[in-house]
Amino acid sequence: MASAANSGGSGFTSSLLLLLPLLLIAYIVWSQRRRQKKMQELQADLQVGARVMTTTGLYGTIAQLDESTVMLEAAPGVVLQWDRRAVVPAPGDQPPHVQPGADEAGTV
């Protein structure tokens, strides 16, 4: 009788050991799909004139846009071509180190 009770507990333990990794893999796949969907939505909303940031941290304004590439104006007269997947909307209106009106405040 004692051996029957032990084998029942052993079956539960081995089932649990198989189930936990499967649940972890399912969670990882689900969260990755959710992130991909969110990125696709952000990139679908890109428009000419929008302030954006690249995956490497370059801020710019969209000058031209097509299905696979984005032309960013990083500075007046400086236009760079980027893969659309590397561009997301900027987290704010300006990069953190640029203060609005900073150019005007320093002039006399």
Side-chain angles (χ1 to χ4, degrees), residues 2-91:
S3 65
N6 286 342
S7 68
S10 176
F12 175 75
T13 303
S14 57
S15 296
L16 188 61
L17 288 175
L18 289 174
L19 186 62
L20 286 176
L22 292 175
L23 289 173
L24 179 62
I25 291 169
Y27 174 74
I28 290 170
V29 168
W30 174 77
S31 65
Q32 179 64 27
R33 285 185 181 169
R34 189 180 57 155
R35 274 192 301 263
Q36 284 177 340
K37 184 177 179 181
K38 184 177 179 182
M39 284 299 291
Q40 288 173 346
E41 289 172 359
L42 287 173
Q43 290 173 351
D45 292 340
L46 294 177
Q47 298 175 354
V48 174
R51 187 94 174 127
V52 295
M53 181 179 77
T54 65
T55 54
T56 58
L58 176 77
Y59 286 84
T61 304
I62 297 177
Q64 188 178 359
L65 185 66
D66 65 28
E67 289 185 24
S68 61
T69 60
V70 175
M71 302 297 281
L72 293 182
E73 184 173 14
V78 179
V79 179
L80 307 168
Q81 183 176 5
W82 287 82
D83 188 285
R84 189 173 181 143
R85 295 172 293 183
V87 177
V88 294

Side-chain angles (χ1 to χ4, degrees), residues 86-106:
V87 177
V88 294
D93 289 340
Q94 295 288 326
H97 62 279
V98 175
Q99 298 298 323
D103 295 342
E104 299 165 15

